[in-house]
Amino acid sequence: MASTPVLNYITFDEFLRHWAAQRPDGLALVEGERRTTYAQAEVLTRQLIAFLQAHGVGRGDRFAWYGKNSDRYFLLLFAAARMGAVIAPVGWRLAPREVGYILADTESKLVIAGEDFVAAAQAVEAGIDNGPAVFEAAAAFAEAAGMEPAASFAQPDPDEAVLQLYTSGTTGNPKGVLLSNRNLFSLRRASRVANMPWDKLDAQDCLLGAMPIAHIGGTGSGPIAVANGIPVHVLPEYTPDGTLAAIEAGTTLLFLVPAAVQFMMQHPRAATTDFSRLKYLMYGAAPMPLELLKEAVKMMPATGFIQLYGMTETTGTVSLLPPEDHDVGGNRRMRSAGKAVPGVRIEVRGPDNQPVPTGEIGEICILSPSNTAGYWKLPEATASTIDPDGWLHTGDAGIMDEDGYVYIQDRIKDMIISGGENVYPAEVESAIYGHPAIAEVAVIGVPSAKWGEEVKACVVAKPGHEIDAADVIAWARERIAAFKAPKSVDVIPLMPRNASGKILRRELRAPYWEGQERQIS
């Protein structure tokens, strides 16, 4: 167990200084052939602070990372968190229009882009008034390496934003979620004090960072590693082969969405991979299908499986189903998202914002020091999500049993999770509207054995027109990221609506979810 002072640390600066002194030769980051120790990370982040300051980025200013997962992104995150700047990672799979929106919304002064994304970043920047300067990541790091490390800098208050992650918006535009040092580290001490076994990590452990860094499930590997003084083995993007190779190389802890677990288990290499060092496989964003879990447990008998529930606005995990509640034969609790982690309170509330009786359905609400302070430049959206008492309303409908286990039933806000990616119907509908043959469109999520959920567009044709499904899908892919575009299109004669004219998505979804235990997969 870490020493007592470490338990009280709440900032990247404290952790980096501590591990640079205690484990100077211990690895902090690994990507390909690059290795960065904690002593090197402490100095390099101060050089990056000098680089950012030299290019006009100061406390409270924003800059962006545009590219795949990278050790360089994490070093920039560490530097931003130490000096009080705000980094915004941009999803590399987004369409140019979506990238442009985020860069403009953040008012970023710089974009640091991966080698394969410089031209795209420059093209997007050209369309933004007073657009950010674009730097290729290797060149930026080479320049920083030649600079004198910042000897002193004004450290931010632990509650100041240092990370801005974008979550798809119900109105078509994504929202910037503001996260601070305290958000990122606030629950760690409670877990350690509660003696949670999965939080007992030592110098021999290694965390795999394979999920996209534009999401909390990917970026969150950085704070976990730094808090424990262990390395993150960074994969530029998830691949089954790369993940299996990293496990054989010594990964002891990783987070994957269930679709990624499935792809890994189906890879030919899985049958011969040595999983003996893998302590915990954490999964979330969708429940693990029982048959897949059985296969995984059979292949990884020494690994503890942990289901996580959370969202960007809660800085990730707020409830957890531990290994001891997993039973390959199946049990009631495996249909749940587990119980609140130490330091978090969860209530299921009704429309009056009061807790409903045990076993009744309501909205899942969270009170936690890891809750975001709000959305960037969106006070109304913030007020509608976080009530005056600090409870964050997730938009998920659920039930809590007498033991505190939470069972998610549906999504109040209609969000679709496909392969771990968040997709909002309004955003997809906006992309499809304008197709010359379409009069109306409604987008729903339908069950998918591969992705958990798939995006389906239900469309009504304009009089005298015929709709070609492939053409609609191609039309959408030109305007939004491919993972958001519909996988299938249903042509229907009339949209189901209520008395006020609102489209009844539940009626559209019903035929596809018949027989399912809940309305998400």
Side-chain angles (χ1 to χ4, degrees), residues 189-207:
R189 189 179 194 281
S191 290
R192 281 296 179 94
V193 171
N195 207 28
M196 297 285 104
W198 48 84
D199 199 34
K200 292 180 179 178
L201 304 177
D202 55 40
Q204 283 68 51
D205 283 301
C206 178
L207 177 63

Side-chain angles (χ1 to χ4, degrees), residues 61-96:
D61 291 328
R62 279 147 175 81
F63 68 101
W65 168 270
Y66 182 33
K68 296 183 180 182
N69 297 354
S70 174
D71 56 340
R72 289 169 172 156
Y73 162 75
F74 284 109
L75 287 164
L76 287 164
L77 168 62
F78 301 168
R82 296 186 78 179
M83 69 179 289
V86 183
I87 187 169
V90 181
W92 64 270
R93 297 171 64 192
L94 297 179

Side-chain angles (χ1 to χ4, degrees), residues 389-410:
D389 296 322
W391 286 84
L392 189 143
H393 294 243
T394 66
D396 288 335
I399 292 169
M400 183 180 289
D401 69 16
E402 61 279 2
D403 297 317
Y405 287 78
V406 177
Y407 297 77
I408 301 170
Q409 304 297 308
D410 205 343

Side-chain angles (χ1 to χ4, degrees), residues 450-486:
K450 183 176 183 180
W451 301 109
E453 291 181 272
E454 286 184 358
V455 179
K456 176 182 283 291
C458 301
V459 299
V460 176
K462 290 181 179 178
H465 287 75
E466 291 187 359
I467 295 175
D468 177 77
D471 185 58
V472 174
I473 293 170
W475 174 278
R477 284 178 171 234
E478 290 176 3
R479 291 160 175 79
I480 53 175
F483 70 84
K484 299 179 183 178

Side-chain angles (χ1 to χ4, degrees), residues 196-198 304-307 320-327 337-339 405:
M196 297 285 104
W198 48 84
F305 288 80
I306 303 174
Q307 182 182 170
L320 179 152
L321 188 72
E324 55 266 28
D325 282 330
H326 285 74
D327 178 355
K339 297 196 296 186
Y405 287 78

